[in-house]
């Protein structure tokens, strides 16, 4: 099944829109690859679990899996753009000087809005310093944040 997810990815990867805030240029492509692999895993769910059921029950199991996957896809399609799985729009994780939560929307793929993006960058720098003190190279994913 791996070959199917990779085939899908190879065909659509050249059309992936790059994230201007991602210095590596890989974040969006990785998310697309993960989604392709997840889709193929869902398609193989019945094959993975069917041996645990009697032959007479397998049709009911297959229907239950298919129905619930369809319901989940419909639910996700109805969510407002930019909302989390709970349906609540994403919010910046920072607080204002008055102590109230920031009401702005975070940057794509980030936890902070443009006004507070420096808070996220300072976390990355702390991690880099910690790796330097240990005498190790920082992991690429951590430095790209």
């Amino acid at each position: 099944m791996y070959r199917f997810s990779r085939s899908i990815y190879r065909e659509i990867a050249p059309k992936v829109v790059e994230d201007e805030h991602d210095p590596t240029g890989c974040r969006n492509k990785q998310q697309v690859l993960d989604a392709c692999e997840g889709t193929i895993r869902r398609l193989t769910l019945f094959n993975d679990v069917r041996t645990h059921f009697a032959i007479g029950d397998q049709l009911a199991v297959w229907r239950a899996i298919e129905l619930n996957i369809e319901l989940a896809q419909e639910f996700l399609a109805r969510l407002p753009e930019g909302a989390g799985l709970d349906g609540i729009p994403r919010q910046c994780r920072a607080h204002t000087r008055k102590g109230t939560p920031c009401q702005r929307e975070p940057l794509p793929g980030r936890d902070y809005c443009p006004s507070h993006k420096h808070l996220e960058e300072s976390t990355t720098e702390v991690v880099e310093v910690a790796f330097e003190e240990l005498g190790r190279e920082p992991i690429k994913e951590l430095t790209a944040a």
Side-chain angles (χ1 to χ4, degrees):
M1 289 307 205
Y2 172 80
R3 66 179 177 259
F4 295 113
S5 66
R6 290 301 166 137
S7 177
I8 294 168
Y9 175 75
R10 280 192 303 273
E11 192 169 330
I12 64 176
K15 297 176 173 106
V16 172
V17 176
E18 305 260 336
D19 182 357
E20 64 187 47
H21 303 290
D22 179 15
T24 66
C26 297
R27 182 178 299 131
N28 288 352
K29 286 185 178 181
Q30 183 64 47
Q31 289 177 350
V32 170
L33 176 60
D34 293 344
C36 290
E37 290 175 351
T39 297
I40 295 301
R41 278 193 296 274
R42 284 193 303 273
L43 292 175
T44 63
L45 175 60
F46 176 70
N47 288 335
D48 293 343
V49 300
R50 71 184 181 147
T51 59
H52 303 290
F53 299 93
I55 294 208
D57 293 332
Q58 288 188 8
L59 180 59
V61 170
W62 179 79
R63 285 181 179 155
I65 290 170
E66 286 299 306
L67 174 65
N68 282 284
I69 287 175
E70 286 177 19
L71 290 172
Q73 289 172 333
E74 289 174 18
F75 171 78
L76 292 173
R78 285 192 308 250
L79 286 176
E81 188 174 331
L85 292 178
D86 54 5
I88 299 171
R90 293 183 53 223
Q91 261 186 291
C92 177
R93 292 182 44 200
H95 286 77
T96 65
R97 291 181 183 155
K98 294 180 181 178
T100 59
C102 177
Q103 300 294 314
R104 295 185 67 192
E105 185 176 331
L107 293 166
R110 303 284 180 125
D111 292 328
Y112 296 94
C113 69
S115 298
H116 295 110
K117 68 181 181 180
H118 64 280
L119 296 173
E120 193 164 50
E121 292 166 357
S122 64
T123 304
T124 303
E125 292 169 6
V126 168
V127 171
E128 289 174 356
V129 169
F131 272 100
E132 288 173 8
E133 289 174 1
L134 292 172
R136 297 183 182 164
E137 278 292 312
I139 299 171
K140 296 289 184 208
E141 287 87 7
L142 293 176
T143 59

